[in-house]
Amino acid sequence: MSTLEQFGYRQELNRSLGFADLMIYGLIFMVPIAPFGIFGNVFAVSHGMVALAYVIGLVAMAFTALSYAQMARAFPMAGSVYTYAGRGIGAPVGFMAGWAILLDYVLVPGLLYLVASVAMNSFVPAIPVWAWLVAFVVLNTVVNYLGIQMTARITRIMLVAELAVLAIFLVVGGIALAQGKAQTGFFTPIFDSSGFEWNVVLAAASVAVLSFLGFDGISTLAEENREDAQRLGRSMVAALGLAAVLFVVQTWVAALLTPNRDNLIANGDPAGSAFYDTAAFAGGTWLSVLTAVATAVAWGFANSLVAQAATSRLLFAMGRDRQLPSFLGKVDPKHKVPVNATLVVAAISLILGIYMSTRENGIGELASLVNFGAMTAFLLLHVSVVVYYVIKRGSRNWLAHLIAPAIGFVVLVAVVVNQNVHAQWVGGIWLAIGLVALGITYVMGRRPVLPKEVQ
């Protein structure tokens, strides 16, 4: 089994997480009830084939999870795709992969805080959005500072609560369907010949994958995993599979019960209330309120808690290698957490969340950018598998090290091409800035390098 010291690093973080902790972490990061918050947008873009959009999103993420598992075995350390591309291909490529996924990791906590704060403000309008943002950020920062074990305990509790709410919705929804409340045919959510077009479904999948982002966050905890690296990879695959089943089932039931289907497809869901309207139609106002509050708490506390933890580990890894400011590599000696990185993530999330709350479509803009950053980084991940295993090590395991990553790459390209044009432009500018920054380091004689592996 490879050790951290073998790759030129000291073990500073606390190795206390097992397979179950990692899988639960991934589930919470993805949020078992994540489709509640974006159901209306996916429904509108997919022309009602929301379950199909999630199935395609699963296919894209499944191959990505397999590539993550392969690279986690080879390089069991923090840093996610930054580490894998840097070690698998080369340090400059690793920098660009890390830069790309920063667009996901740095923005996603702000997105989650914003969604939750807007939702809570709708229930308690006397407390402004910015105040909810401050409360969520401070609470999560304190919990994360107290150590990864505290974060793991909180996530277990939140997972049980989210699954309970989901179970209630599915039971009530099942009863409503048995009572004849279905608004369309049983198989329409998975395929509707009258509205099916590949570009439509792929565009919807590019939105739906937002719900799947988070399984990859497990890889950032590699240095806090107390078991072997294979278990880390398996926990990613297991978390993704369980979440996918939950996503498809809940969106299928909701799509069958969605009232005013044609209006939703034609006009979208600007208020973000489509799922809650469906819940009210199925079971009454109490179910609408329950699902809305659960979404706010899940996104603003549980999901953003683990998102902040994952982002801080990415910044920690890049800071430790001096590819970002080195102060990000500082570890608190008592709690064994990357303290400076944690505080920086909190500050960025607070400023970004408050700013985007003033924009008309701030949530939509953030969601599109998060997806673009993740998909771009995942493309480099698939390339890393092929380069490291097939080219560098001469692997003849064609299925795991060539065919699977190649399919994953092609599927992701199709998803990225069909993404929001605004996200493509802004994401492209972000990547260009990264290339300029990389070029400057070469001009200054400080090209990216990683500690050498000890043979």
Side-chain angles (χ1 to χ4, degrees):
M1 173 177 158
S2 300
T3 63
L4 193 59
E5 290 75 14
Q6 178 183 332
F7 295 98
Y9 301 110
R10 291 187 298 112
Q11 180 65 50
E12 297 182 89
L13 304 180
N14 186 22
R15 287 195 180 277
S16 59
L17 303 179
F19 176 84
D21 297 312
L22 294 169
M23 186 176 68
I24 291 171
Y25 177 93
L27 282 171
I28 282 292
F29 204 153
M30 286 182 281
V31 185
I33 57 174
F36 287 14
I38 61 174
F39 173 80
N41 288 330
V42 180
F43 188 100
V45 176
S46 67
H47 294 180
M49 291 173 285
V50 60
L52 178 59
Y54 274 95
V55 169
I56 294 176
L58 167 63
V59 172
M61 293 300 97
F63 286 104
T64 300
L66 293 175
S67 287
Y68 261 108
Q70 292 299 320
M71 297 307 287
R73 292 177 58 187
F75 307 110
M77 62 191 81
S80 186
V81 69
Y82 153 72
T83 293
Y84 303 148
R87 296 276 176 179
I89 303 176
V93 180
F95 172 83
M96 287 306 302
W99 184 263
I101 208 163
L102 274 176
L103 195 60
D104 166 13
Y105 276 37
V106 171
L107 296 185
V108 76
L111 169 63
L112 299 171
Y113 287 129
L114 179 57
V115 169
S117 299
V118 169
M120 293 305 292
N121 173 256
S122 68
F123 293 114
V124 189
I127 301 178
V129 171
W130 68 264
W132 284 112
L133 265 163
V134 171
F136 280 129
V137 171
V138 170
L139 176 62
N140 282 349
T141 301
V142 170
V143 173
N144 273 320
Y145 175 71
L146 292 177
I148 195 65
Q149 287 178 303
M150 173 64 76
T151 302
R153 284 194 289 268
I154 295 295
T155 56
R156 286 176 180 269
I157 296 171
M158 294 305 301
L159 179 61
V160 171
E162 290 180 35
L163 292 176
V165 172
L166 178 56
I168 292 171
F169 170 77
L170 292 177
V171 169
V172 175
I175 293 173
L177 291 173
Q179 293 173 342
K181 288 188 175 182
Q183 301 296 294
T184 188
F186 182 78
F187 291 105
T188 301
I190 197 71
F191 182 77
D192 183 359
S193 59
S194 64
F196 180 84
E197 293 178 25
W198 274 113
N199 63 321
V200 167
V201 177
L202 288 171
S206 73
V207 179
V209 291
L210 178 64
S211 300
F212 289 106
L213 298 185
F215 77 90
D216 56 300
I218 295 174
S219 66
T220 66
L221 302 181
E223 293 177 31
E224 288 148 290
N225 168 39
R226 67 170 182 261
E227 300 175 353
D228 64 77
Q230 284 187 325
R231 302 280 283 180
L232 183 79
R234 290 170 186 165
S235 68
M236 282 189 273
V237 175
L240 180 66
L242 287 173
V245 172
L246 297 177
F247 292 166
V248 171
V249 170
Q250 66 190 272
T251 55
W252 197 316
V253 172
L256 291 174
L257 293 166
T258 300
N260 302 316
R261 294 171 52 84
D262 293 339
N263 180 66
L264 182 57
I265 292 173
N267 301 312
D269 184 30
S273 62
F275 190 94
Y276 315 125
D277 295 338
T278 299
F281 175 75
T285 302
W286 69 271
L287 186 59
S288 174
V289 172
L290 175 64
T291 53
V293 171
T295 300
V297 175
W299 286 51
F301 179 49
N303 193 7
S304 52
L305 176 69
V306 295
Q308 184 183 45
T311 305
S312 67
R313 270 63 177 179
L314 175 62
L315 296 179
F316 161 75
M318 296 186 74
R320 180 175 61 184
D321 291 335
R322 298 183 181 277
Q323 296 197 26
L324 287 178
S326 59
F327 82 94
L328 295 171
K330 177 179 173 56
V331 174
D332 183 87
K334 179 180 179 181
H335 299 290
K336 303 295 182 183
V337 296
V339 57
N340 289 344
T342 299
L343 294 175
V344 165
V345 175
I348 293 175
S349 299
L350 185 61
I351 295 170
L352 182 67
I354 292 176
Y355 169 71
M356 296 304 288
S357 70
T358 65
R359 296 181 62 84
E360 182 178 354
N361 188 33
I363 292 176
E365 291 177 6
L366 273 178
S368 296
L369 290 173
V370 165
N371 284 353
F372 182 90
M375 298 301 104
T376 304
F378 293 165
L379 288 172
L380 288 175
L381 170 71
H382 290 304
V383 176
S384 300
V385 175
V386 177
V387 172
Y388 178 71
Y389 281 103
V390 177
I391 297 177
K392 289 187 174 182
R393 300 189 62 184
S395 171
R396 292 299 177 263
N397 185 350
W398 302 119
L399 179 61
H401 299 150
L402 180 60
I403 297 175
I407 294 174
F409 186 93
V410 171
V411 173
L412 284 178
V413 167
V415 172
V416 170
V417 168
N418 285 277
Q419 272 195 304
N420 178 282
V421 174
H422 175 73
Q424 292 175 342
W425 272 102
V426 176
I429 292 172
W430 174 259
L431 294 179
I433 293 173
L435 285 171
V436 171
L438 182 61
I440 291 174
T441 63
Y442 272 88
V443 171
M444 296 176 64
R446 295 180 58 250
R447 69 182 184 85
V449 294
L450 298 172
K452 291 184 178 180
E453 182 176 349
V454 178
Q455 300 298 326

